[in-house]
Amino acid sequence: FLFFSSIICISQAKITRPTTKASYKTIKDFGAIPNDGKDDTWAFIKAGKYFSNLWDINSVPLKEGKVNFSYASNSARLEIPSVTYLVGKKIDIPAEGISTTYGKIFGYPKATAALKFSGDGSFKTGLELLKLSNSKNNIDQVVIKGTGSVPPVIKYNDGLWIGFFNNKGVPLFLTDNDYNPRYRTSIATFITIESCKNIVLENIEIDGNNIAADSKGKTIYGGGYGKHLLQTGASGTYIINTKNVSLNKLNIHHMTLDGIMYQDYYKDPQKFPKQLNSNVSIKNVICNYNRRQGFSWVGGRSVLVENSKFNNTGILFTGIAAGNPGAGVDIEPEEDPNGNKLWCMDGRFINCDFINNKGNALVNDLTWQRTLSVSFDNCTFHDV
């Protein structure tokens, strides 16, 4: 059941430790050149690996036990100056597969981390972008912030391929019974944050550059599976199993999947009474013209959303390019990797808009039994 409460307490992300020369960088330190019209995917990959303590500043994989800096004593800060950056590197996968390195793909021999793709799947794949994740090293207290008089623009390259294709590039239309993720071709989410704490994202515009070819755009859609259509693509941010998160002044639009996707592994509070709350604050965020969702909340407790807009989802797309459910916000607790059913609890939306979405302004249907205590104060819902 869904019921309403009036008091939601959210603990803000805390950035209390100092930064050092090693833990403070700008994206220029990783090779991004402002407004040069060239792809900056490599710079964002390097930044993610560096702040995850996986590679050094020269993109050389760190040896076991080595770190660029310690999160136990320092916070981290990545600043993105106010210009336009192009991202979205896709590589072809030949029928025999490919076994290479990041360095060979980007022309940097020192970067010896391996890349390997089987040839029995799709004919293309997109490389990850800015990803914070390290299962052996706690990532705690990170600020990623756009600087300058206007936010920096992260713009995806033209000609993205989205959907299901075989290794010859032929679109595949699968059923639920023969679905196989290896045929999926997509492009990476801009910021992926996995199993971290105390994360701040602020003052960034993310432009997915997603206009389908049948709407006189350059995004190429093909293949799909059953009634689900395409559940693939890139989101502005994908935050998973991460607590104490602050998103402020983000403008995320024209993404091939969602504006924001958040999933914390918050399980049944009666069976797991000692779990920590997720503590997510989303303020002054605009999610506009994204393909599948403005905001997907698929697990977690204590989410506060203020002065934000989740509008025009899915209205640009028809046919195979459409994405269910096409909602402003979808509250749909899923499962963790171990099959534990997740819950969405204690959410509050204040002064928010849910307008002109192809699907519903708000969806909470399939797993509504595990959604508790969500309120909407002074919000505008307008379905078409």
Side-chain angles (χ1 to χ4, degrees):
F1 57 92
L2 178 71
F3 70 90
F4 298 89
S5 70
S6 59
I7 300 176
I8 301 293
C9 297
I10 306 292
S11 298
Q12 299 296 310
K14 296 180 180 179
I15 309 297
T16 60
R17 303 177 192 132
T19 58
T20 64
K21 185 176 181 180
S23 64
Y24 165 73
K25 301 291 181 186
T26 78
I27 196 62
K28 295 180 183 179
D29 293 321
F30 299 96
I33 300 175
N35 286 336
D36 65 347
K38 297 181 180 179
D39 181 79
D40 291 306
T41 295
W42 183 223
F44 286 100
I45 291 175
K46 289 192 291 183
K49 298 293 189 183
Y50 179 85
F51 284 109
S52 297
N53 276 323
L54 295 173
W55 296 357
D56 67 16
I57 192 66
N58 295 311
S59 309
V60 178
L62 293 172
K63 294 181 179 179
E64 185 75 24
K66 297 292 184 180
V67 297
N68 297 311
F69 60 91
S70 171
Y71 278 103
S73 55
N74 298 108
S75 64
R77 186 178 184 90
L78 173 65
E79 293 190 350
I80 306 174
S82 175
V83 293
T84 297
Y85 304 88
L86 298 178
V87 298
K89 176 73 171 178
K90 238 186 207 323
I91 62 173
D92 295 332
I93 304 174
E96 64 272 17
I98 185 172
S99 181
T100 184
T101 65
Y102 281 92
K104 289 179 181 178
I105 293 293
F106 290 100
Y108 195 85
K110 292 182 179 180
T112 57
L115 277 171
K116 187 174 183 178
F117 300 99
S118 169
D120 63 353
S122 180
F123 76 127
K124 286 182 181 290
T125 190
L127 298 182
E128 68 182 58
L129 288 164
L130 180 51
K131 182 176 182 179
L132 297 179
S133 178
N134 187 334
S135 61
K136 298 180 180 180
N137 189 278
N138 292 330
I139 299 174
D140 183 359
Q141 300 195 26
V142 182
V143 176
I144 301 174
K145 183 176 182 178
T147 61
S149 56
V150 295
V153 178
I154 312 300
K155 185 174 182 179
Y156 279 69
N157 291 312
D158 290 341
L160 306 180
W161 288 74
I162 305 294
F164 292 80
F165 302 85
N166 67 15
N167 60 12
K168 296 181 180 179
V170 177
L172 299 178
F173 294 88
L174 309 174
T175 69
D176 288 347
N177 293 329
D178 61 9
Y179 168 75
N180 194 315
R182 75 173 184 266
Y183 297 120
R184 182 176 58 207
T185 186
S186 188
I187 200 70
T189 288
F190 175 55
I191 298 178
T192 300
I193 298 171
E194 182 177 9
S195 300
C196 302
K197 292 186 293 186
N198 295 303
I199 303 294
V200 176
L201 307 180
E202 185 172 346
N203 198 43
I204 301 170
E205 178 180 344
I206 307 171
D207 178 359
N209 191 22
N210 177 32
I211 304 294
D214 63 3
S215 298
K216 299 183 180 180
K218 297 181 179 179
T219 307
I220 302 165
Y221 283 94
Y225 70 105
K227 63 184 179 181
H228 307 285
L229 304 178
L230 291 183
Q231 301 294 320
T232 185
S235 298
T237 67
Y238 176 35
I239 304 173
I240 183 169
N241 198 34
T242 292
K243 292 177 171 58
N244 301 339
V245 177
S246 175
L247 309 182
N248 187 32
K249 296 181 180 178
L250 303 181
N251 181 3
I252 306 173
H253 57 94
H254 293 92
M255 301 305 300
T256 50
L257 198 62
D258 299 346
I260 298 168
M261 182 183 291
Y262 180 79
Q263 182 182 61
D264 193 18
Y265 296 155
Y266 190 84
K267 301 181 285 293
D268 186 338
Q270 293 187 342
K271 295 180 179 179
F272 302 90
K274 296 184 179 180
Q275 298 174 93
L276 296 176
N277 286 352
S278 307
N279 295 328
V280 178
S281 172
I282 299 173
K283 294 182 179 180
N284 308 305
V285 168
I286 299 173
C287 292
N288 209 7
Y289 293 103
N290 299 297
R291 185 179 67 85
R292 188 183 70 169
Q293 238 85 267
F295 172 30
S296 290
W297 177 16
V298 289
R301 184 171 189 175
S302 295
V303 174
L304 176 63
V305 186
E306 298 180 89
N307 303 317
S308 295
K309 301 178 186 295
F310 307 96
N311 301 338
N312 300 304
T313 303
I315 68 169
L316 301 176
F317 307 100
T318 59
I320 192 61
N324 288 334
V329 171
D330 182 15
I331 303 176
E332 186 180 341
E334 296 181 345
E335 297 180 352
D336 70 9
N338 296 319
N340 294 303
K341 295 184 182 302
L342 303 180
W343 291 62
C344 290
M345 294 183 61
D346 295 345
R348 190 173 184 185
F349 293 76
I350 304 172
N351 299 330
C352 294
D353 289 347
F354 311 83
I355 297 174
N356 198 43
N357 297 289
K358 188 171 185 176
N360 290 340
L362 168 69
V363 170
N364 176 231
D365 53 3
L366 296 178
T367 53
W368 60 268
Q369 301 94 331
R370 305 197 305 277
T371 301
L372 297 176
S373 187
V374 182
S375 69
F376 297 85
D377 303 333
N378 198 39
C379 293
T380 300
F381 296 80
H382 186 184
D383 286 332
V384 295

